């Protein structure tokens, strides 16, 4: 057995059950307590124990993921990705950082960030279907089925965390980030997809969405508001709907209305925040 961490240049995994280091042993990873995790044929590793699942098939469905891949590959959200790439370049402290993309889904953002920013990358999602799909994007990224609330990484071993429209786990992020490491999050703004919501719902309530304040574990380095407009055809509109939570809330008559909409111009409104982990006191 190779008595070294799987590092892919620096990634250090730990067992999700006992938190002992995971060692690569041919086509599996195993810890000193003999907990074993196979490398799937597609190349990913499932590090989500049954006790950490909240449902039989957590995360996005295959239908949602397929729609998400088609929509994102059209380039409609490329400005979002570009702003995250700029932030990674700005706040990384090394030219080859260890980067985790939390809630990677089918891997669109993870792959594009890696293409633009040299480093060692891992994409993490709770959806096995999503991670399996992500494997087809790149074999140079370590794809893992895992939960953000209990990341299978050694403490203080990560340089950058990205989280695109994902729930944030500040304490867990602080645990795995090195001192001075950063997390970069994208969250929706108040007017995000307002025009689509006006078709879906009888009434669209005014909201004032803003990233929640940083915890005492981090210093906020940036919190910027972004807007742009996109025009989508009917196919893209239906794909966008399927990749959002609105898909589960839309009534039949509203869905029929959307399916008859030839094209629609939409507002994309989001916040980008970068937060730096505070240095530990000696």
């Amino acid at each position: 057995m190779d008595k070294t961490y799987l590092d892919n240049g620096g990634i250090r995994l730990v067992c999700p059950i006992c938190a002992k280091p995971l060692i690569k042993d041919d086509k599996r990873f195993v810890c000193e307590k003999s907990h074993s995790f196979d490398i799937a044929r597609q190349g990913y590793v499932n590090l989500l124990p049954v006790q950490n699942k909240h449902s039989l098939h957590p995360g996005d469905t295959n239908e949602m993921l397929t729609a998400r891949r088609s929509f994102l590959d059209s380039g409609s959200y490329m400005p979002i990705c570009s702003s995250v790439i700029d932030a990674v370049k700005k706040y990384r402290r090394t030219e080859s950082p260890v980067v985790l993309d939390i809630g990677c889904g089918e891997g669109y953002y993870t792959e594009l960030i890696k293409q633009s920013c040299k480093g060692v990358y891992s994409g993490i999602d709770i959806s096995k279907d999503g991670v399996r799909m992500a494997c087809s994007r790149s074999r140079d990224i370590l794809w893992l089925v895992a939960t953000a609330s209990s990341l299978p990484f050694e403490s203080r071993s990560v340089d950058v965390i990205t989280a695109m429209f994902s729930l944030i786990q500040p304490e867990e992020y602080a645990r795995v980030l090195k001192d001075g490491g950063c997390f970069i999050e994208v969250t929706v703004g108040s007017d995000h997809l307002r025009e689509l919501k006006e078709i879906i719902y009888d009434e669209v309530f005014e909201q004032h969405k803003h990233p929640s304040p940083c915890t005492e574990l981090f210093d906020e380095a940036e919190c910027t508001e972004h807007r742009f407009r996109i025009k989508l055809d009917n196919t893209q509109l239906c794909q966008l709907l399927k990749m959002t939570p609105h898909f589960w809330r839309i009534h039949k008559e509203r869905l029929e209305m959307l399916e008859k909409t030839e094209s629609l111009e939409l507002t994309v409104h989001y916040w980008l925040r970068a937060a730096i982990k505070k240095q530990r006191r000696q």
Side-chain angles (χ1 to χ4, degrees):
M1 183 186 299
D2 179 11
K3 295 296 184 182
T4 59
Y5 289 101
L6 165 73
D7 62 4
N8 269 346
I11 293 177
R12 302 173 76 87
L13 295 177
V14 296
C15 176
I17 297 173
C18 67
K20 298 294 184 181
L22 278 178
I23 308 299
K24 188 175 182 182
D25 180 16
D26 192 21
K27 296 182 179 180
R28 64 173 185 157
F29 294 102
V30 61
C31 72
E32 64 184 52
K33 293 191 174 182
S34 298
H35 299 127
S36 180
F37 306 89
D38 293 336
I39 301 173
R41 174 176 53 83
Q42 296 87 348
Y44 69 90
V45 185
N46 190 339
L47 297 180
L48 182 63
V50 173
Q51 59 267 33
N52 288 347
K53 289 185 177 182
H54 299 296
S55 65
L56 188 60
H57 300 289
D60 291 343
T61 66
N62 192 62
E63 182 181 16
M64 295 173 70
L65 289 159
T66 300
R68 177 175 171 177
R69 167 159 288 196
S70 296
F71 177 81
L72 292 175
D73 281 347
S74 73
S76 296
Y77 274 11
M78 187 61 203
I80 301 177
C81 192
S82 295
S83 64
V84 175
I85 289 169
D86 290 343
V88 172
K89 290 179 178 179
K90 182 177 181 180
Y91 296 108
R92 64 185 177 182
R93 299 196 309 163
T94 172
E95 286 299 309
S96 188
V98 175
V99 181
L100 306 186
D101 185 26
I102 308 295
C104 67
E106 47 69 58
Y108 171 81
Y109 294 108
T110 325
E111 181 195 23
L112 286 182
I113 296 169
K114 186 180 188 302
Q115 287 178 5
S116 299
C117 303
K118 181 181 177 182
V120 183
Y121 283 75
S122 180
I124 301 99
D125 202 281
I126 201 170
S127 168
K128 185 164 68 173
D129 287 339
V131 173
R132 185 187 293 119
M133 195 179 292
C135 290
S136 65
R137 289 200 180 272
S138 175
R139 287 287 184 142
D140 295 328
I141 295 170
L142 177 61
W143 303 106
L144 301 173
V145 182
T147 175
S149 62
S150 183
L151 293 168
F153 296 90
E154 187 178 90
S155 297
R156 295 183 294 279
S157 66
V158 174
D159 296 293
V160 179
I161 288 175
T162 57
M164 314 290 289
F165 305 109
S166 299
L167 291 175
I168 306 303
Q169 302 285 344
E171 291 77 15
E172 187 65 356
Y173 290 3
R175 181 186 67 80
V176 302
L177 281 169
K178 299 174 184 176
D179 290 349
C182 73
F183 83 79
I184 298 162
E185 65 169 324
V186 171
T187 56
V188 297
S190 306
D191 293 327
H192 187 58
L193 307 181
R194 170 177 286 273
E195 299 84 358
L196 179 61
K197 294 175 186 176
E198 288 172 350
I199 294 178
I200 295 173
Y201 303 109
D202 293 331
E203 184 177 1
V204 179
F205 296 99
E206 287 295 326
Q207 295 179 304
H208 301 283
K209 293 186 177 180
H210 188 282
S212 57
C214 280
T215 71
E216 61 183 11
L217 301 170
F218 292 91
D219 289 319
E220 186 173 275
E222 176 180 336
C223 189
T224 53
E225 190 176 12
H226 302 258
R227 293 174 185 265
F228 62 93
R229 301 278 289 176
I230 54 174
K231 187 173 182 179
L232 304 182
D233 60 27
N234 180 263
T235 298
Q236 293 171 317
L237 276 174
C238 293
Q239 290 168 347
L240 177 60
L241 175 64
K242 287 181 180 178
M243 62 181 262
T244 71
H246 305 298
F247 179 60
W248 304 107
R249 302 168 187 157
I250 190 169
H251 294 152
K252 181 181 178 181
E253 63 274 13
R254 296 285 180 163
L255 179 59
E256 291 173 350
M257 185 186 304
L258 183 67
E259 289 173 342
K260 293 177 182 177
T261 302
E262 292 185 3
S263 65
L264 188 65
E265 191 168 344
L266 298 174
T267 300
V268 178
H269 180 200
Y270 67 98
W271 291 88
L272 184 147
R273 179 170 64 174
I276 310 299
K277 180 184 174 182
K278 292 181 179 179
Q279 301 284 336
R280 289 180 299 164
R281 294 180 179 178
Q282 299 297 324

